[in-house]
Amino acid sequence: MSVEKVVQQQIEFYNNQDLDGFASTYADDITVHIFPDNTIILNGKQALFERYTETFKKKMYAEIKNRSIVGNKVIDWEIVTNGLTGESTSLMAIYEVDGNLISKVWFIRE
């Protein structure tokens, strides 16, 4: 499976609030970082389940505005909207894919 397809599946599961499907696209030892200082904000699949259980209660939706692929990394410019409040935020997400699973993510936010 291509790295783009892995990330696209993850986005589709996210937009459908399908927690099991969403988690299935991530490695067990997933780490999520804030760029540029590389602070880890999520470590491991259990933490992913806990965080996104709460996130999905907000009916979040991500719209991809631009996507680039470099090697095993997918770089997305996303507009993420809270379905309950209508509030949106713009961010960049860098997904690193190894063995058909997302192994690392970096978020760049304003």
Side-chain angles (χ1 to χ4, degrees), residues 30-41 72-76 78 91-98 102-109:
I30 178 65
T31 55
V32 178
H33 308 256
I34 295 295
F35 185 88
D37 63 5
N38 213 31
T39 302
I40 295 175
I41 60 169
N72 70 334
K73 292 178 181 63
V74 176
I75 302 118
D76 281 348
E78 302 177 7
L91 61 88
M92 297 295 292
I94 304 168
Y95 300 96
E96 183 174 289
V97 179
D98 292 308
I102 300 167
S103 59
K104 291 183 185 166
V105 180
W106 293 265
F107 287 120
I108 305 169
R109 299 174 193 230

Side-chain angles (χ1 to χ4, degrees), residues 19 48-60:
L19 183 57
L48 180 112
F49 268 104
E50 291 167 7
R51 173 149 185 181
Y52 284 91
T53 294
E54 293 304 311
T55 298
F56 286 171
K57 288 178 183 177
K58 299 174 187 170
K59 306 293 185 204
M60 301 300 284

Side-chain angles (χ1 to χ4, degrees), residues 14 17 55-62 80-88:
Y14 180 92
Q17 280 76 63
T55 298
F56 286 171
K57 288 178 183 177
K58 299 174 187 170
K59 306 293 185 204
M60 301 300 284
Y61 181 84
V80 180
T81 303
N82 180 320
L84 299 180
T85 67
E87 293 178 28
S88 294

